[in-house]
Amino acid sequence: MSAMVPSNPARTARSDWQTLKTLLPYLYNYKGRVTLALSCLALAKFANAGVPLLLKGIVDHLTAKPGLVLAIPAVLILGYGLLRLAVTSFGELRDAIFSKVAQGAIRQVALETFRHLHLLSLRFHLNRQTGGVTRDIERGTRGIGTLLRLMLFNILPIILEIGLVTGILVWMYDWRFAAVTLVTILLYGLFTIWVTEWRTQNRRKMNELDSKANVRAVDSLLNYETVKYFGNERYEASRYDESMARWEKAAVLNETSIGLLNSGQSGIIAMGVTGLVWLAADGVVKGTMTLGDLVAVNAFLIQLYVPLNFLGMAYREIKQSLTDMEKMFSLMVEHAEIQDDPSATALQTSAAAVQFEQVDFGYEANRQILQGVDFSIPAGNTVAVVGSSGAGKSTLSRLLFRFYDVNGGAIRINGQDLRQLTQSSLRAHIGIVPQDTVLFNDSIYYNIAYGRPSATRAEIIEAARSAHILGFIEQLPDGWETTVGERGLKLSGGEKQRVAIARTILKNPPILIFDEATSALDSKTEKAIQVELAAISANRTTLIIAHRLSTVVDADEILVLEQGRVVERGSHRSLLVQNGVYARMWALQQSELEQETDTA
């Protein structure tokens, strides 16, 4: 049985206390309601404690003076009924008052967790498992409601009732009654805590396995097409079943161990009840107690031990709720890698000049991506960056958005280091059309309007026209209200990119980034879009990241990036004259284009 003791109870207790401390400030916002609910709780318990005393009076009167049944007992019986009504009424009032507290706390915690997740760095979100995170939040918010309900409706009432009943037994009868009651409760509590602590360890394991199974399910469904391409439906089902089988084993152990807990609790209560009834019966036989006293003691026992039966369940559920909340609150203390400096100022400009000054950067300490990258984009000019895959081109846009901080050097806008600007103002000044466009599972209208939610419908339509997607939208059966599916899977790659271009046009920022913005478009549409992109970037500071060199020939300056270093720079014509890396890339792409034309 020694194996049932938790491996490190001190750490668990400390973790539970930290979880409770995290929750308390949310309850403090409703301190008036909490105080009122606790007052109703106390009044309900005082009324409940008076019920056995009235019952004793009724029994004693009936056994001592049967001729006065219709007189005095009628008052006692009426009082008995009123106390029963008071118990129920104050209990219901307590529930009604406290419901706002519980639901309000759940809403605030969920909102704060959601906000904090958006504050965390891109590095965290690239490493996260979406299914596991959402399941942790779901369990955590549900755990808050369970914890508050059990604490107010089970634990506090039981503690208050134990105090009242113990005091009444000592005052009215014998210290032995109180002693037996307290010893029974102590044994019950220790046994319950001992077994539940062991079961909590298993519950944690269940949660981890549940999250892993959910992660596999979500990941598989998000990659539905890939699963179909390779015919791996059975493989995905077997992986999911493997996780669920491990969860099933932990869940079965969790459920079967309840039998041990319930049997032990029932045995302890049975011994305590037997002892108290024995003492009361002995008092009646000796003449020191009346039948009314025996009835009162029995009523006290019922009032005390019936809710005590739920104490084990309440403690178990509380421990499970704390365990469920633990992971959610750990998300809330997850360190935000990129934070605003206390002295950071807001960027305010309509003409932004961008400078990369000897920038060094690596996602990992042993994996350098950029080395001494140095270039500038004067306000209103266009600079293109080309190079092979993995050269670090897209990293430039992530650093400009300040998803990461540089390891060396600096990035400046109008001479101001990005680290001295507020992130919100910086990102408000930059618009991007990414290579991999991800859309919300909502309407086309919503996805374009996301660029500037306050925009008018006319502005949104004009942005769609500029992105050459208006005609496509108007031909759809549901028009603007067409749902694009999860991550925009109902649209083709080109259609998604045109939505991304439209919402960037709608945002209307002074700095533009085109990261392979037309890579998913056909040649005809690409040429039309290029004209629009050139028009909207005419007076804006623009960074173009491209693989197809035909899209950057008009840039004011072209940088050739190789293994994180700028190896060539200049205009299209000057780079061709240099006959270096760029010229070879141009010759190769022109040759491929000619072959495609000949084949067509």
Side-chain angles (χ1 to χ4, degrees):
M1 295 293 287
S2 60
M4 294 171 65
V5 179
S7 58
N8 193 346
R11 187 195 64 79
T12 302
R14 186 164 60 252
S15 177
D16 289 346
W17 176 236
Q18 288 172 346
T19 302
L20 285 171
K21 283 200 302 183
T22 306
L23 181 61
L24 286 176
Y26 298 98
L27 300 182
Y28 187 75
N29 295 332
Y30 301 93
K31 54 184 179 293
R33 280 182 173 268
V34 172
T35 303
L36 196 55
L38 291 176
S39 300
C40 291
L41 166 66
L43 290 171
K45 286 304 159 188
F46 277 113
N48 204 34
V51 170
L53 299 179
L54 284 180
L55 195 59
K56 164 186 158 50
I58 293 170
V59 173
D60 283 344
H61 184 78
L62 291 174
T63 55
K65 301 175 182 179
L68 298 177
V69 171
L70 298 178
I72 299 175
V75 177
L76 295 176
I77 291 169
L78 180 61
Y80 178 86
L82 289 174
L83 284 180
R84 283 290 187 190
L85 178 61
V87 171
T88 304
S89 299
F90 283 123
E92 293 297 329
L93 185 59
R94 171 202 64 187
D95 296 356
I97 293 170
F98 196 74
S99 62
K100 174 68 175 176
V101 178
Q103 301 308 318
I106 289 172
R107 174 189 171 190
Q108 288 182 354
V109 172
L111 177 61
E112 190 166 326
T113 305
F114 181 77
R115 283 175 172 168
H116 186 71
L117 286 172
H118 277 288
L119 291 175
L120 295 179
S121 67
L122 180 61
R123 194 188 308 274
F124 169 85
H125 287 282
L126 291 176
N127 291 328
R128 74 162 193 252
Q129 294 178 312
T130 306
V133 170
T134 55
R135 187 60 67 92
D136 289 340
I137 296 174
E138 177 190 340
R139 279 198 304 259
T141 52
R142 188 173 62 238
I144 292 172
T146 303
L147 176 69
L148 295 178
R149 175 175 51 80
L150 291 174
M151 288 293 291
L152 187 70
F153 301 165
N154 293 87
I155 301 299
L156 285 179
I158 290 172
I159 292 172
L160 183 57
E161 195 147 27
I162 288 172
L164 285 172
V165 169
T166 303
I168 291 171
L169 290 175
V170 172
W171 171 57
M172 292 187 61
Y173 304 115
D174 191 329
W175 65 269
R176 292 176 300 171
F177 285 89
V180 171
T181 301
L182 292 176
V183 168
T184 302
I185 292 169
L186 180 62
L187 290 174
Y188 184 97
L190 290 174
F191 176 78
T192 300
I193 291 171
W194 177 56
V195 177
T196 304
E197 284 292 337
W198 165 64
R199 296 184 74 249
T200 299
Q201 303 302 317
N202 188 61
R203 176 70 179 195
R204 281 199 178 95
K205 183 179 178 181
M206 272 183 62
N207 284 353
E208 290 174 5
L209 293 172
D210 180 46
S211 294
K212 286 181 180 177
N214 196 55
V215 164
R216 285 192 174 179
V218 171
D219 195 38
S220 179
L221 292 173
L222 287 176
N223 290 280
Y224 170 82
E225 290 183 68
T226 305
V227 174
K228 289 292 184 184
Y229 289 151
F230 294 94
N232 280 337
E233 293 90 344
R234 289 186 179 180
Y235 175 68
E236 289 297 322
S238 66
R239 289 178 74 237
Y240 181 66
D241 187 51
E242 177 189 343
S243 296
M244 290 302 294
R246 295 171 64 194
W247 172 85
E248 179 188 17
K249 184 178 179 181
V252 168
L253 178 60
N254 187 64
E255 292 299 318
T256 53
S257 60
I258 293 178
L260 171 65
L261 181 62
N262 291 341
S263 300
Q265 290 170 339
S266 298
I268 293 170
I269 288 178
M271 289 189 291
V273 170
T274 303
L276 286 171
V277 172
W278 182 276
L279 288 174
D282 185 58
V284 173
V285 171
K286 291 179 178 177
T288 58
M289 295 176 66
T290 65
L291 283 176
D293 292 322
L294 178 61
V295 171
V297 168
N298 187 61
F300 277 127
L301 292 179
I302 293 172
Q303 287 186 185
L304 189 60
Y305 288 140
V306 168
L308 195 62
N309 266 322
F310 293 100
L311 179 62
M313 180 278 294
Y315 180 75
R316 182 174 69 247
E317 291 294 325
I318 285 173
K319 289 295 294 183
Q320 289 182 359
S321 296
L322 289 169
T323 302
D324 291 343
M325 292 161 58
E326 192 177 312
K327 280 198 171 183
M328 183 181 70
F329 283 140
S330 69
L331 286 173
M332 295 175 67
V333 297
E334 183 79 32
H335 175 66
E337 182 182 340
I338 306 301
Q339 300 184 49
D340 286 343
D341 188 274
S343 60
T345 58
L347 176 63
Q348 294 181 337
T349 182
S350 57
V354 177
Q355 299 93 33
F356 279 70
E357 297 179 354
Q358 296 298 319
V359 170
D360 293 330
F361 177 75
Y363 294 106
E364 306 293 340
N366 58 353
R367 184 188 170 208
Q368 192 76 1
I369 302 298
L370 300 178
Q371 303 177 61
V373 173
D374 191 282
F375 68 92
S376 62
I377 313 175
N381 281 27
T382 297
V383 168
V385 179
V386 300
S388 58
S389 298
K393 303 188 297 297
S394 294
T395 300
L396 297 175
S397 65
R398 289 179 171 181
L399 292 176
L400 187 54
F401 264 101
R402 207 186 164 207
F403 289 152
Y404 302 93
D405 278 335
V406 298
N407 301 137
I411 303 174
R412 303 180 189 278
I413 294 180
N414 293 347
Q416 292 180 278
D417 194 312
L418 299 192
R419 290 165 290 196
Q420 298 303 315
L421 299 172
T422 60
Q423 295 175 70
S424 59
S425 68
L426 168 67
R427 291 165 189 162
H429 282 71
I430 306 174
I432 185 170
V433 180
Q435 180 178 5
D436 182 19
T437 300
V438 178
L439 303 181
F440 293 97
N441 189 5
D442 210 307
S443 66
I444 290 182
Y445 185 91
Y446 175 87
N447 277 282
I448 295 178
Y450 199 80
R452 182 158 48 91
S454 61
T456 64
R457 188 176 183 87
E459 290 173 321
I460 293 167
I461 292 173
E462 184 56 37
R465 180 179 288 108
S466 298
H468 289 260
I469 197 174
L470 181 61
F472 164 75
I473 295 171
E474 291 177 340
Q475 289 174 2
L476 293 170
D478 294 328
W480 285 95
E481 298 309 311
T482 301
T483 302
V484 302
E486 191 165 1
R487 299 172 65 86
L489 291 177
K490 290 184 179 181
L491 302 182
S492 69
E495 289 158 359
K496 286 198 295 183
Q497 276 197 316
R498 280 182 280 174
V499 170
I501 292 169
R503 68 184 178 191
T504 301
I505 292 172
L506 186 66
K507 185 178 181 181
N508 195 27
I511 301 173
L512 289 173
I513 301 174
F514 298 130
D515 188 353
E516 301 283 4
T518 59
S519 61
L521 302 177
D522 59 79
S523 299
K524 181 181 178 181
T525 305
E526 181 185 28
K527 289 178 181 178
I529 291 290
Q530 286 293 344
V531 173
E532 291 295 340
L533 294 183
I536 64 173
S537 62
N539 297 312
R540 292 180 173 85
T541 307
T542 306
L543 174 64
I544 300 176
I545 297 166
H547 174 71
R548 278 191 273 187
L549 303 186
S550 59
T551 63
V552 301
V553 294
D554 294 325
D556 296 301
E557 185 177 33
I558 300 171
L559 309 177
V560 181
L561 208 61
E562 288 292 329
Q563 296 182 345
R565 297 179 184 275
V566 178
V567 296
E568 291 179 3
R569 67 176 70 206
S571 66
H572 172 68
R573 290 184 178 277
S574 67
L575 288 173
L576 290 179
V577 171
Q578 290 179 33
N579 199 28
V581 176
Y582 182 84
R584 289 194 295 273
M585 291 172 61
W586 176 262
L588 179 62
Q589 289 190 15
Q590 290 299 111
S591 175
E592 291 174 349
L593 182 61
E594 288 174 4
Q595 289 179 7
E596 289 175 4
T597 304
D598 291 342
T599 302

